[in-house]
Amino acid sequence: MSNWHRPRFPGMVTVLIAVLVMTGCALSRMTDRNESRSLPANQTADTRLGRAIAPLADAHPGESGVVLLENAHDAFAARALLAEGADATLDVQYYIWQYDITGTMLLDVLYRAAERGVRVRLLLDDNGISGLDEALAALDTHPNIEIRLFNPFVVRSPKWIGYVTSFQRLNHRMHNKSFTADNQAAIIGGRNVADEYFGAGQGALFADLDVLAIGPVVHELSDDFDRYWSSVSAYPVATILPEAGEEDLARVVETAKNCSASSAASKYICAIEDSKFLNNLLAGNLEFTWAPVSMISDDPAKVLGKKPKNGLLSRQMAEAMGSPERSVTLVSPYFIPTKTGVEIFRDLERKGVQVRVLTNSLEANDVAMVHAGYAKYRKPLLEAGVQLFELRKLPGSESVEGDLQKSLMGSSSSSLHAKTFAIDGKSLFVGSFNFDPRSVHINTELGFVIESPELTQVVENHFEEQVQVTAYEVVLDSAGDLQWIERNGEEEIRYSHDPGTGLIKRMLVSFFSFLPIEHLL
């Protein structure tokens, strides 16, 4: 009898079935989890930060002090020094935290803060912590450090297996980014914790953008951190990761020591040593812009597929920023307006509102699928009257040409990563929100709405300067076809296809544009 119909690899089939059964199991319910909350600001008023900030806040009642952190090295140093300045608590929340130079060094400053008695709470999205399981489990053994993973994977390696049976749950991620010391000072914005976010030096403002804040908005942010920390999606690492011991913690500390002593870390060490940030902050000499600032964020229940009333950042942002009357300046690395967004922009243009958009060019974009989702809207946007600019690939940034995996999935190292919106020269949004369906419907996001004409003007002026020297302007020619204009001083170069790209990449983007995946991007 023929046996052609029998499985040829019964062992492999058995393993596959076992994996599917295992990954199909739901996360276990949490029955034992310590509950904690941020310390009220009046309980941290006598910390170094509290004493330094109180006179400034008292002189500006109802307003928050804001500093834009545009330089990458300054943004790294500000986080490290803010941790060194903390006396009571550190509440830290991130989407990506890599075990590279900057990630290792910032874990070390958290550890050293815990060593001197600071309570450290670290909340990380489980999708962006590749290679960190052992280090996190070890740090969590410290009596002053508690770490939780948001929406964790059951199978630790390879994690992609979880998407096979739990895609609906795991597709929702916590994209929030915040770093708060003593409920007195905080940093939020577009940067995750990884070398590519802190390596741009004196690059363009829009390579990435963070905000340092003091005042009432910090207390709002601390309350929001508590909401995520106590949500049903935040699992203590001890319930997810293998048990660690004292020797594991010692190994993590030694790794950090070796990292800091390496030549590769020297530029970050110098950034910290040369920075006057902490001294100026503690001495009350840091120059803040004072303005009404509102924190807006998604309800963490969004990852469960729920949409609580007024619990979506997109709705809060629309309410906070109102109806534009003169201008909208939008910066987003991953920009997918959808048909609805195009119609919104068209209506604004009809009302005389100038709409300008800066996003990544194809040569700079690190996620080809996302670019495909955007590219099909270029003509409709231009026909609607939108001024469209695409940032060129900055020197030193990675190319997606040579790495198909990064082209498909994204390496988070594109030359443009800032997410900001400026309205009417009066209001400014800075945060984690991209203008795409994923930020609107799938991931949770966080940001500040800053009602400051001064800072809004700074961003708008930088926009005008940057697009002239670092971006292509996308226009329609007389035949209605796309053209890219590159300006280099008096020289003007026109391209009839995406500049700096090969035929294969353009074909790949064209193929992706036909796939019915826009709602996932």
Side-chain angles (χ1 to χ4, degrees):
M1 177 182 290
S2 173
N3 63 357
W4 64 269
H5 59 283
R6 295 176 185 172
R8 297 181 62 186
F9 305 101
M12 184 177 296
V13 172
T14 301
V15 170
L16 178 60
I17 292 174
V19 167
L20 291 175
V21 169
M22 181 171 56
T23 58
C25 295
L27 283 167
S28 59
R29 280 187 168 274
M30 289 178 287
T31 57
D32 185 19
R33 184 176 69 171
N34 294 328
E35 296 305 327
S36 60
R37 295 193 61 81
S38 56
L39 295 181
N42 60 6
Q43 291 187 26
T44 59
D46 197 36
T47 60
R48 287 176 293 165
L49 290 173
R51 291 192 297 270
I53 290 168
L56 302 175
D58 291 344
H60 300 86
E63 295 183 328
S64 296
V66 174
V67 174
L68 296 181
L69 297 174
E70 50 197 80
N71 177 272
H73 290 169
D74 290 345
F76 171 79
R79 286 165 169 82
L81 293 171
L82 200 59
E84 287 191 10
D87 292 330
T89 63
L90 284 167
D91 289 336
V92 181
Q93 178 181 23
Y94 279 96
Y95 171 58
I96 292 174
W97 194 302
Q98 292 295 297
Y99 208 18
D100 52 15
I101 297 170
T102 56
T104 300
M105 293 177 70
L106 287 177
L107 283 179
D108 188 50
V109 298
L110 297 183
Y111 167 77
R112 286 189 278 114
E115 281 286 273
R116 63 175 191 271
V118 176
R119 184 193 71 182
V120 177
R121 296 189 297 176
L122 179 58
L123 177 61
L124 299 174
D125 186 274
D126 195 28
N127 194 51
I129 57 168
S130 177
L132 263 181
D133 280 10
E134 292 182 2
L136 294 178
L139 287 168
D140 189 63
T141 63
H142 194 288
N144 290 330
I145 299 177
E146 186 176 358
I147 303 174
R148 293 184 181 179
L149 301 181
F150 195 85
N151 199 15
F153 291 72
V154 176
V155 177
R156 304 310 299 167
S157 181
K159 282 186 175 179
W160 61 261
I161 290 177
Y163 283 113
V164 176
T165 58
S166 304
F167 179 80
Q168 186 172 0
R169 175 177 70 83
L170 294 174
N171 184 44
H172 295 267
R173 308 311 319 174
M174 181 190 74
H175 198 232
N176 311 36
K177 306 158 179 69
S178 68
F179 197 110
T180 306
D182 290 347
N183 198 5
Q184 295 288 340
I187 298 170
I188 66 102
R191 289 184 177 92
N192 292 292
V193 176
D195 290 351
E196 56 260 38
Y197 299 99
F198 298 115
Q202 296 291 339
L205 166 68
F206 295 117
D208 220 325
L209 182 61
D210 293 323
V211 165
L212 167 71
I214 61 176
V217 75
V218 177
H219 315 324
E220 294 181 40
L221 182 63
S222 291
D223 289 341
D224 193 66
F225 181 91
D226 287 342
R227 183 168 64 151
Y228 275 81
W229 184 256
S230 61
S231 72
V232 296
S233 298
Y235 282 71
V237 295
T239 66
I240 300 295
L241 304 183
E243 185 177 354
E246 292 183 5
E247 67 282 1
D248 299 302
L249 181 57
R251 189 159 47 248
V252 170
V253 173
E254 184 66 20
T255 297
K257 180 180 178 181
N258 293 336
C259 174
S260 296
S262 68
S263 58
S266 60
K267 62 182 177 181
Y268 300 110
I269 296 292
C270 289
I272 295 174
E273 292 177 346
D274 295 343
S275 176
K276 303 296 189 294
F277 165 79
L278 184 59
N279 289 337
N280 287 337
L281 178 59
L282 295 179
N285 296 329
L286 201 61
E287 293 187 12
F288 288 94
T289 299
W290 291 87
V293 181
S294 302
M295 189 219 69
I296 56 177
S297 72
D298 284 305
D299 190 307
K302 183 180 179 183
V303 301
L304 304 176
K306 301 177 182 179
K307 296 183 179 180
K309 186 178 181 180
N310 296 323
L312 295 180
L313 177 143
S314 54
R315 183 178 302 174
Q316 298 166 24
M317 184 189 304
E319 293 175 354
M321 306 198 79
S323 300
E325 298 177 353
R326 299 196 313 275
S327 64
V328 174
T329 302
L330 187 155
V331 179
S332 181
Y334 309 131
F335 176 61
I336 306 176
T338 72
K339 292 180 180 179
T340 300
V342 172
E343 287 307 309
I344 291 173
F345 293 142
R346 192 188 308 276
D347 289 343
L348 288 173
E349 289 284 352
R350 286 171 179 164
K351 295 174 182 177
V353 178
Q354 179 191 42
V355 180
R356 301 180 298 176
V357 176
L358 174 65
T359 190
N360 274 312
S361 63
L362 178 55
E363 70 174 353
N365 201 322
D366 61 349
V367 190
M369 282 189 178
V370 172
H371 193 86
Y374 149 73
K376 61 187 176 185
Y377 290 107
R378 286 188 289 209
K379 277 191 177 182
L381 286 167
L382 293 170
E383 291 168 350
V386 174
Q387 288 183 270
L388 191 57
F389 300 90
E390 296 180 357
L391 201 71
R392 309 178 206 171
K393 179 173 177 279
L394 298 179
S397 61
E398 290 187 18
S399 169
V400 298
E401 192 74 51
D403 193 329
L404 181 60
Q405 182 177 0
K406 289 183 179 179
S407 295
L408 294 172
M409 303 306 296
S411 65
S412 298
S413 59
S414 76
S415 55
L416 175 67
H417 196 255
K419 308 101 165 45
T420 183
F421 314 91
I423 304 294
D424 290 343
K426 299 185 299 184
S427 300
L428 178 69
F429 169 84
V430 178
S432 66
F433 182 88
N434 290 303
F435 202 97
D436 62 15
R438 175 162 287 276
S439 283
V440 173
H441 302 294
I442 300 175
N443 291 347
T444 67
E445 307 287 354
L446 167 71
F448 288 167
V449 174
I450 307 166
E451 299 175 44
S452 168
E454 179 182 346
L455 288 182
T456 303
Q457 193 64 52
V458 168
V459 170
E460 290 183 337
N461 288 345
H462 272 82
F463 183 98
E464 293 171 3
E465 295 168 3
Q466 291 295 331
V467 297
Q468 293 299 316
V469 296
T470 63
Y472 305 106
E473 182 176 6
V474 187
V475 299
L476 294 176
D477 63 17
S478 58
D481 295 324
L482 293 173
Q483 279 198 342
W484 287 256
I485 303 175
E486 177 184 346
R487 296 182 175 89
N488 298 303
E490 298 295 324
E491 183 184 18
E492 182 177 292
I493 306 172
R494 289 179 177 257
Y495 302 90
S496 58
H497 57 67
D498 292 273
T501 63
L503 178 61
I504 294 178
K505 184 189 293 185
R506 297 197 299 273
M507 290 177 63
L508 188 66
V509 168
S510 179
F511 168 74
F512 286 152
S513 68
F514 290 103
L515 300 179
I517 56 174
E518 182 176 290
H519 64 290
L520 298 175
L521 300 177

